[in-house]
Amino acid sequence: MASAFREDVSHYEHSPSTSVHGGRDGGNGGSNGGSNGGGGNGGEGERTSTTPLRPSEDESSTGHVQEKTPAAAPLTKKQKFKRHCGRFWWWYLIAGVVFLAIFLPILFLVIIPAIVQRIINNQEMPITGGAFKVLSPTQLNVSITTLLNSPLPADLDPVTLFIYNKDTPTFSPFVNVTLPALHIDGDTEVNIKEQTVSITNETELISWFSRVFDQPSVAISTRGDATVHLGKLHSSAHIEKTVQVDSLNKLSGFGIEHMQLMLPALENGTNIQGTLNLPNWGALTLSIGDLSLNLMAGDIRIGLITVYDVLLPHGNNSKYFNGELFLDVLVQNIGSILTSQEDALNNGNIQIDAVGNATTINGEHVRYVEAVLNKRRVSSTTPVTKLLGDLIGSFTNGSDVSIPTMLDDIFGNSTFIEEVLTHWNTTAGNGTAATKRSLPFTKRGPGALSLLKLGMKVGTKWLSTI
């Protein structure tokens, strides 16, 4: 009976359905088994410890509370971005450094210079005034007024501008001027004032001055390198600009306004004086010193006059002159002279042309002006009545000399008058009355001369009474 009881008890103790803490019982059984018979029952206790355990009351209550906790609110975009940057800020820092290392050189070396150069290229730089004045055979005094416009406030360092002819294949400036330091903001007037410059290429200057004389407008080309400051930033820019400026247009409007004979002549041979008009239709004032002009009737040189201290601002310029009228040349070539005047005389005018002879400053010849003016010819057309009035006025304005007496004093005989009468009667016989002018008589000689003298005396007395 005792063994049967032990078997029942052993079966009861090791039954998994009756053990809540099987691990602990197994442990006890193992220990009992070890004490009772070498640990056989202990092996069974270890096997029962692998059975799933039922959670304790504390664990069950904790899980139940967690399941009832409300869900967390979703993150806003700002919070997500902040969290993102917090996680990856190191990568963004590296990317920013790399970007700046690439972009900043491009900004300072490419973008800003391109913007500055574009602003410079868009400048029209019209020349609104200025002057070119001869100081010596090798120097000029130059003034230029122009305009600059900048959408951004900027400062410009002094710039050397080279003036050259754009049509010349190689860059060959003939003078250079200095553009002063400037602050530009919007429309800004720029004045280059009274700069003394040396002529660096006389051939190119002659070429440019030839265009100034011949054309109604002339091109002025400039080139230089500037440093432009935009606040603390600065950049280099290349200036290359060609602008058109109004010029002399062959002295259109040139003419002898008044002419007076001076008898007796001065010791230096001066026997004529008066005024002539030297127009300047350009924007630049020109000063060339003393200008001597040959007076021409056709191909015959009949006189030499000098205009002193020629300064030509814009517009008409009435200038005093004096010089010598070659009366002996007039006598010897009266036929050829009258022939050259046929077209002008048919319109009631006298045409006297002028060609440059010499240009001097302080007694020195200015070759770059002479090279131009000495090859140019300008015409002055004066009504016959006005010219005769000036000549008659030469002897009625406080002078005791009469025109007939002058004729006798100058020529000593009737040669000059007879040549005039011969020419006019010859042309009258060869042409028609509608196209030729002739004196109303055919007989020539001392009688005709006396008649002309008498007419001049009567005319002189009549004019003196006016």
Side-chain angles (χ1 to χ4, degrees):
M1 285 183 66
S3 62
F5 177 75
R6 277 194 303 266
E7 290 177 1
D8 293 338
V9 171
S10 175
H11 176 77
Y12 176 77
E13 287 178 353
H14 295 284
S15 174
S17 61
T18 58
S19 173
V20 177
H21 303 288
R24 187 181 302 171
D25 291 340
N28 292 333
S31 60
N32 292 331
S35 60
N36 291 329
N41 294 334
E44 294 180 6
E46 287 178 0
R47 286 193 296 271
T48 58
S49 65
T50 61
T51 304
L53 301 179
R54 185 174 143 188
S56 65
E57 291 184 9
D58 292 340
E59 291 177 350
S60 177
S61 61
T62 301
H64 180 71
V65 171
Q66 288 178 349
E67 291 176 356
K68 292 184 178 181
T69 301
L75 297 176
T76 63
K77 291 182 179 180
K78 183 177 181 180
Q79 290 173 331
K80 289 180 179 179
F81 178 76
K82 186 176 181 180
R83 185 177 64 178
H84 176 80
C85 292
R87 292 179 179 178
F88 301 102
W89 68 271
W90 180 251
W91 295 105
Y92 283 114
L93 178 62
I94 294 174
V97 171
V98 172
F99 173 78
L100 292 177
I102 297 173
F103 176 74
L104 289 180
I106 295 175
L107 175 67
F108 292 116
L109 299 178
V110 178
I111 297 177
I112 292 179
I115 293 173
V116 171
Q117 187 63 57
R118 182 63 179 272
I119 293 174
I120 294 294
N121 292 343
N122 289 339
Q123 300 300 310
E124 295 182 359
M125 295 180 67
I127 294 179
T128 58
F132 277 70
K133 300 178 180 179
V134 173
L135 295 181
S136 73
T138 59
Q139 288 184 320
L140 291 170
N141 183 282
V142 178
S143 300
I144 295 176
T145 302
T146 185
L147 291 173
L148 293 176
N149 180 279
S150 174
L152 301 173
D155 293 295
L156 193 68
D157 287 346
V159 182
T160 299
L161 291 178
F162 298 91
I163 301 177
Y164 68 103
N165 293 313
K166 189 175 182 180
D167 295 337
T168 303
T170 58
F171 176 63
S172 303
F174 49 87
V175 294
N176 61 77
V177 296
T178 300
L179 192 67
L182 298 169
H183 176 73
I184 305 171
D185 191 1
D187 290 328
T188 304
E189 185 177 79
V190 179
N191 290 303
I192 300 173
K193 295 182 179 180
E194 302 288 334
Q195 293 188 10
T196 299
V197 300
S198 296
I199 298 168
T200 56
N201 191 318
E202 189 176 89
T203 301
E204 288 299 307
L205 178 59
I206 292 172
S207 176
W208 180 75
F209 190 53
S210 297
R211 296 187 181 99
V212 171
F213 185 90
D214 293 336
Q215 300 174 359
S217 64
V218 66
I220 295 182
S221 298
T222 57
R223 180 184 293 184
D225 294 305
T227 300
V228 182
H229 298 269
L230 300 174
K232 296 297 183 180
L233 302 177
H234 69 274
S235 176
S236 298
H238 181 68
I239 299 174
E240 187 158 358
K241 186 65 62 174
T242 298
V243 297
Q244 292 292 129
V245 184
D246 292 338
S247 52
L248 295 179
N249 192 22
K250 297 181 178 179
L251 289 178
S252 176
F254 169 84
I256 297 175
E257 299 176 329
H258 170 68
M259 185 167 60
Q260 180 183 15
L261 285 173
M262 302 168 62
L263 293 173
L266 301 180
E267 292 183 359
N268 61 2
T270 299
N271 63 3
I272 190 173
Q273 64 181 357
T275 58
L276 52 78
N277 180 38
L278 291 174
N280 177 8
W281 306 118
L284 299 173
T285 296
L286 300 177
S287 175
I288 59 175
D290 298 336
L291 173 63
S292 296
L293 298 170
N294 294 319
L295 298 182
M296 308 292 294
D299 294 330
I300 300 174
R301 181 171 176 251
I302 61 173
L304 175 66
I305 63 173
T306 300
V307 187
Y308 301 93
D309 296 325
V310 176
L311 177 66
L312 304 178
H314 176 78
N316 289 312
N317 299 280
S318 183
K319 297 295 179 181
Y320 170 81
F321 72 86
N322 64 22
E324 183 179 359
L325 187 64
F326 304 146
L327 298 175
D328 55 339
V329 175
L330 286 172
V331 172
Q332 296 170 8
N333 299 278
I334 187 61
S336 299
I337 292 172
L338 291 176
T339 299
S340 69
Q341 296 292 318
E342 286 182 6
D343 292 337
L345 287 172
N346 285 335
N347 295 315
N349 298 319
I350 294 290
Q351 178 177 319
I352 299 176
D353 297 342
V355 179
N357 177 277
T359 304
T360 60
I361 185 79
N362 299 323
E364 297 182 281
H365 285 268
V366 184
R367 291 179 298 177
Y368 52 85
V369 178
E370 291 179 344
V372 176
L373 297 185
N374 293 7
K375 297 179 181 179
R376 265 64 178 180
R377 184 167 182 151
V378 292
S379 298
S380 169
T381 302
T382 305
V384 173
T385 54
K386 184 178 186 306
L387 182 60
L388 289 176
D390 287 341
L391 293 176
I392 293 174
S394 302
F395 309 104
T396 59
N397 186 17
S399 175
D400 294 333
V401 182
S402 64
I403 294 178
T405 303
M406 174 203 69
L407 294 176
D408 287 336
D409 291 341
I410 294 175
F411 307 109
N413 54 45
S414 61
T415 303
F416 176 75
I417 302 300
E418 287 180 351
E419 283 289 343
V420 174
L421 297 176
T422 300
H423 175 79
W424 282 68
N425 284 315
T426 301
T427 56
N430 295 334
T432 62
T435 60
K436 303 295 181 180
R437 296 173 182 264
S438 62
L439 295 176
F441 50 84
T442 58
K443 184 178 179 180
R444 303 185 301 274
L449 176 59
S450 299
L451 181 61
L452 180 60
K453 289 182 178 181
L454 177 62
M456 290 182 176
K457 287 181 179 179
V458 172
T460 302
K461 291 180 179 178
W462 176 76
L463 288 172
S464 64
T465 60
I466 298 177

CSV table of all heavy atoms in Angstrom, one decimal, residues 4 11 14 18 23 122 147 166 193 200 208 266 272 281 333 337 358 446 452 460:
chain,number,residue,atom,x,y,z
A,4,ALA,N,1.9,2.0,-3.5
A,4,ALA,CA,0.8,2.5,-4.4
A,4,ALA,C,0.5,3.9,-4.0
A,4,ALA,O,0.2,4.7,-4.9
A,4,ALA,CB,-0.4,1.6,-4.2
A,11,HIS,N,2.2,10.9,-9.2
A,11,HIS,CA,1.5,11.3,-10.4
A,11,HIS,C,0.7,12.6,-10.2
A,11,HIS,O,0.7,13.4,-11.1
A,11,HIS,CB,0.5,10.1,-10.7
A,11,HIS,CG,-0.4,10.4,-11.9
A,11,HIS,ND1,0.1,10.4,-13.2
A,11,HIS,CD2,-1.7,10.8,-11.9
A,11,HIS,CE1,-0.9,10.7,-14.0
A,11,HIS,NE2,-2.0,10.9,-13.2
A,14,HIS,N,3.2,15.7,-10.4
A,14,HIS,CA,3.8,16.0,-11.7
A,14,HIS,C,2.8,16.2,-12.8
A,14,HIS,O,3.1,16.3,-13.9
A,14,HIS,CB,4.8,14.9,-12.1
A,14,HIS,CG,5.9,14.8,-11.2
A,14,HIS,ND1,7.0,15.6,-11.2
A,14,HIS,CD2,6.2,13.9,-10.2
A,14,HIS,CE1,7.9,15.3,-10.2
A,14,HIS,NE2,7.4,14.2,-9.6
A,18,THR,N,-2.4,20.4,-12.7
A,18,THR,CA,-2.7,20.9,-11.3
A,18,THR,C,-1.6,21.8,-10.9
A,18,THR,O,-1.6,22.3,-9.7
A,18,THR,CB,-2.7,19.6,-10.4
A,18,THR,OG1,-1.5,18.9,-10.5
A,18,THR,CG2,-3.9,18.7,-10.8
A,23,GLY,N,7.3,25.4,-13.0
A,23,GLY,CA,8.8,25.5,-12.9
A,23,GLY,C,9.2,25.3,-11.5
A,23,GLY,O,10.2,24.7,-11.2
A,122,ASN,N,26.0,99.1,-73.3
A,122,ASN,CA,24.7,99.8,-73.6
A,122,ASN,C,24.8,101.3,-73.5
A,122,ASN,O,23.8,102.0,-73.8
A,122,ASN,CB,23.6,99.3,-72.6
A,122,ASN,CG,23.2,97.8,-72.9
A,122,ASN,OD1,23.4,97.3,-74.0
A,122,ASN,ND2,22.6,97.2,-71.9
A,147,LEU,N,27.6,111.9,-72.0
A,147,LEU,CA,26.7,111.4,-71.0
A,147,LEU,C,26.8,109.9,-70.8
A,147,LEU,O,27.1,109.1,-71.7
A,147,LEU,CB,25.2,111.7,-71.5
A,147,LEU,CG,24.7,113.1,-71.6
A,147,LEU,CD1,23.3,113.2,-72.2
A,147,LEU,CD2,24.7,113.7,-70.2
A,166,LYS,N,38.3,104.1,-86.6
A,166,LYS,CA,37.9,102.7,-86.6
A,166,LYS,C,38.1,102.0,-88.0
A,166,LYS,O,38.3,100.8,-88.0
A,166,LYS,CB,36.4,102.6,-86.3
A,166,LYS,CG,35.8,101.2,-86.1
A,166,LYS,CD,34.4,101.2,-85.7
A,166,LYS,CE,33.9,99.8,-85.4
A,166,LYS,NZ,32.4,99.8,-85.0
A,193,LYS,N,37.9,118.2,-69.4
A,193,LYS,CA,38.1,119.6,-69.5
A,193,LYS,C,39.6,119.9,-69.8
A,193,LYS,O,40.4,119.5,-69.0
A,193,LYS,CB,37.6,120.3,-68.2
A,193,LYS,CG,36.1,120.3,-68.0
A,193,LYS,CD,35.8,121.1,-66.7
A,193,LYS,CE,34.3,121.0,-66.4
A,193,LYS,NZ,33.9,121.8,-65.2
A,200,THR,N,50.0,111.3,-81.0
A,200,THR,CA,50.8,110.1,-81.1
A,200,THR,C,50.9,109.5,-82.5
A,200,THR,O,51.7,108.7,-82.7
A,200,THR,CB,50.1,109.0,-80.1
A,200,THR,OG1,48.7,108.9,-80.5
A,200,THR,CG2,50.2,109.5,-78.7
A,208,TRP,N,41.6,111.8,-89.8
A,208,TRP,CA,40.4,112.1,-89.1
A,208,TRP,C,40.0,113.6,-89.4
A,208,TRP,O,38.8,113.8,-89.6
A,208,TRP,CB,40.6,111.9,-87.6
A,208,TRP,CG,39.4,112.3,-86.8
A,208,TRP,CD1,38.3,111.5,-86.7
A,208,TRP,CD2,39.2,113.4,-86.0
A,208,TRP,NE1,37.4,112.2,-85.9
A,208,TRP,CE2,37.9,113.3,-85.4
A,208,TRP,CE3,40.0,114.5,-85.7
A,208,TRP,CZ2,37.4,114.3,-84.6
A,208,TRP,CZ3,39.5,115.5,-84.9
A,208,TRP,CH2,38.2,115.4,-84.4
A,266,LEU,N,49.9,149.4,-97.3
A,266,LEU,CA,50.8,149.4,-96.2
A,266,LEU,C,52.2,149.0,-96.7
A,266,LEU,O,52.4,148.4,-97.7
A,266,LEU,CB,50.3,148.5,-95.1
A,266,LEU,CG,49.0,148.9,-94.5
A,266,LEU,CD1,48.6,147.9,-93.4
A,266,LEU,CD2,48.9,150.3,-94.0
A,272,ILE,N,44.2,145.1,-98.7
A,272,ILE,CA,42.8,144.7,-98.7
A,272,ILE,C,42.5,144.2,-97.3
A,272,ILE,O,43.4,143.6,-96.6
A,272,ILE,CB,42.6,143.6,-99.7
A,272,ILE,CG1,41.1,143.3,-99.9
A,272,ILE,CG2,43.3,142.3,-99.4
A,272,ILE,CD1,40.7,142.4,-101.0
A,281,TRP,N,29.4,123.8,-88.4
A,281,TRP,CA,28.1,123.1,-88.1
A,281,TRP,C,28.3,121.9,-87.2
A,281,TRP,O,27.4,121.2,-87.0
A,281,TRP,CB,27.5,122.7,-89.4
A,281,TRP,CG,27.3,123.9,-90.4
A,281,TRP,CD1,27.9,124.0,-91.6
A,281,TRP,CD2,26.6,125.1,-90.1
A,281,TRP,NE1,27.6,125.2,-92.1
A,281,TRP,CE2,26.8,125.9,-91.3
A,281,TRP,CE3,25.8,125.6,-89.1
A,281,TRP,CZ2,26.2,127.2,-91.4
A,281,TRP,CZ3,25.2,126.8,-89.2
A,281,TRP,CH2,25.4,127.6,-90.3
A,333,ASN,N,46.0,139.1,-116.4
A,333,ASN,CA,45.2,138.0,-116.6
A,333,ASN,C,43.7,138.3,-116.7
A,333,ASN,O,42.9,137.4,-116.4
A,333,ASN,CB,45.5,136.9,-115.6
A,333,ASN,CG,46.9,136.4,-115.6
A,333,ASN,OD1,47.3,135.6,-116.4
A,333,ASN,ND2,47.7,137.0,-114.6
A,337,ILE,N,40.5,135.7,-116.2
A,337,ILE,CA,39.7,135.9,-115.0
A,337,ILE,C,38.3,136.1,-115.4
A,337,ILE,O,37.4,135.4,-114.8
A,337,ILE,CB,40.3,137.1,-114.2
A,337,ILE,CG1,41.6,136.7,-113.6
A,337,ILE,CG2,39.3,137.4,-113.1
A,337,ILE,CD1,42.3,137.9,-112.9
A,358,ALA,N,48.7,128.4,-95.5
A,358,ALA,CA,49.5,128.1,-94.3
A,358,ALA,C,48.7,128.2,-93.1
A,358,ALA,O,47.7,129.0,-93.0
A,358,ALA,CB,50.7,129.0,-94.3
A,446,PRO,N,40.5,155.6,-125.6
A,446,PRO,CA,40.5,156.6,-124.6
A,446,PRO,C,39.1,157.2,-124.3
A,446,PRO,O,38.8,157.5,-123.2
A,446,PRO,CB,41.5,157.6,-125.1
A,446,PRO,CG,42.4,156.9,-126.0
A,446,PRO,CD,41.5,155.8,-126.6
A,452,LEU,N,33.9,155.9,-118.8
A,452,LEU,CA,33.8,155.1,-117.6
A,452,LEU,C,34.2,155.9,-116.4
A,452,LEU,O,33.6,155.8,-115.3
A,452,LEU,CB,34.6,153.8,-117.7
A,452,LEU,CG,34.6,152.9,-116.5
A,452,LEU,CD1,33.2,152.3,-116.3
A,452,LEU,CD2,35.6,151.7,-116.8
A,460,THR,N,30.2,158.2,-107.5
A,460,THR,CA,30.9,158.5,-106.2
A,460,THR,C,30.2,159.6,-105.5
A,460,THR,O,30.0,159.6,-104.3
A,460,THR,CB,32.4,158.7,-106.4
A,460,THR,OG1,32.9,157.6,-107.1
A,460,THR,CG2,33.1,159.0,-105.1
